[in-house]
């Protein structure tokens, strides 16, 4: 098979890179990664040399380049079906795709109020009602998925899926900004924080050199 190369942004900050990386890592397939430093002079030019959108992540597979996190996850799921990155049950799979797409396109207030920063000291911050509404919706999704489909494991649909990869950066945000969680949502966030892939990413983020 042609080699897989995943282009990523600075691991401390790049939520979209984390999503695609978790999905690809879960397959167990060999791949190489290249981290492109964000928010520096020359970052835009470096990104455009690897991704037609000028954004990360981007996955190169031979002559093919895929430059959207959810599209990368879908491609990887098709390439490695044995990884079971979507639930086997049709109804559960439809729900997993729905919540993944909602995460992909929504929650702007939460994103703006609580950016991912894996080097920040854990502490709460003030945020507005719109961010609170996003947090409420996120935890509602987690509770509902766990209640309906979590009986066979500790992730949203039992075993790890793309839905978990899509929500992983939110888990880090809520932890960084000390947002209180209860019940199934709290248990899910803790399970995700212990996920070997996420733990590996966080360790790499805390070890990387940042400007300034």
């Amino acid at each position: 098979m042609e080699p897989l190369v995943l282009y990523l942004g600075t691991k401390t900050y790049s939520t979209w890179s984390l999503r695609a990386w978790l999905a690809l890592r879960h397959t167990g397939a060999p791949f190489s990664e290249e981290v492109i430093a964000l928010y520096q002079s020359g970052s835009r030019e470096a990104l455009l040399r690897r991704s037609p959108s000028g954004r990360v992540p981007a996955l190169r597979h031979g002559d093919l380049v895929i430059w959207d996190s959810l599209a990368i996850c879908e491609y990887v799921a098709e390439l490695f079906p044995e990884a079971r990155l979507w639930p086997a049950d049709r109804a559960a799979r439809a729900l997993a795709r729905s919540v993944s797409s909602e995460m992909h396109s929504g929650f702007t207030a939460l994103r703006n109020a609580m950016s991912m920063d894996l080097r920040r000291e854990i502490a709460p911050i003030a945020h507005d009602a719109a961010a609170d509404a996003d947090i409420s919706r996120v935890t509602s999704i987690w509770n509902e998925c766990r209640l309906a489909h979590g009986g066979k494991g500790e992730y949203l649909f039992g075993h790890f899926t793309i839905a978990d990869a899509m929500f992983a950066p939110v888990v880090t945000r809520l932890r960084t900004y000390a947002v209180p969680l209860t019940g199934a949502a709290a248990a899910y966030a803790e399970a995700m924080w212990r996920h070997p892939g996420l733990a590996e990413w966080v360790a790499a983020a805390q070890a990387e050199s940042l400007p300034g």
Side-chain angles (χ1 to χ4, degrees):
M1 189 175 71
E2 294 278 6
L4 293 160
V5 182
L6 188 61
Y7 301 110
L8 308 166
T10 307
K11 290 186 173 183
T12 299
Y13 309 121
S14 187
T15 59
W16 297 108
S17 297
L18 170 57
R19 293 173 168 109
W21 185 89
L22 280 174
L24 185 52
R25 182 193 182 280
H26 180 75
T27 69
F31 68 97
S32 59
E33 61 179 68
E34 180 180 336
V35 177
I36 302 162
L38 303 178
Y39 315 124
Q40 297 186 42
S41 175
S43 292
R44 176 69 174 170
E45 293 75 16
L47 290 167
L48 283 169
R49 286 195 295 270
R50 296 157 178 85
S51 170
S53 68
R55 297 180 178 181
V56 282
L59 176 67
R60 178 177 289 280
H61 187 201
D63 293 331
L64 176 65
V65 177
I66 308 143
W67 60 88
D68 174 87
S69 60
L70 190 52
I72 291 169
C73 289
E74 288 277 13
Y75 183 74
V76 167
E78 292 182 8
L79 201 60
F80 304 105
E82 67 280 3
R84 300 192 305 151
L85 278 167
W86 289 123
D89 176 76
R90 183 172 61 184
R93 188 165 62 251
L95 179 58
R97 281 195 161 107
S98 292
V99 299
S100 296
S101 296
E102 184 176 355
M103 182 68 254
H104 187 264
S105 61
F107 304 106
T108 304
L110 174 56
R111 299 179 201 274
N112 291 339
M114 301 179 181
S115 60
M116 187 171 84
D117 183 348
L118 295 173
R119 309 272 286 264
R120 183 185 186 275
E121 182 180 355
I122 295 174
I125 59 169
H127 50 275
D128 61 17
D132 277 335
D134 278 356
I135 293 168
S136 178
R137 175 59 186 152
V138 164
T139 56
S140 175
I141 288 171
W142 293 354
N143 286 327
E144 290 170 8
C145 290
R146 289 290 304 147
L147 179 64
H149 300 283
K152 295 183 179 180
E154 58 187 356
Y155 301 113
L156 292 178
F157 294 87
H159 66 278
F160 183 88
T161 69
I162 288 170
D164 300 297
M166 293 301 293
F167 280 101
V170 180
V171 169
T172 76
R173 284 175 158 113
L174 299 186
R175 184 181 185 90
T176 295
Y177 298 100
V179 175
L181 299 173
T182 60
Y188 170 68
E190 183 59 32
M192 275 301 301
W193 187 252
R194 296 194 311 267
H195 184 275
L198 183 54
E200 182 180 336
W201 179 280
V202 171
Q206 293 176 345
E208 66 187 348
S209 298
L210 299 179

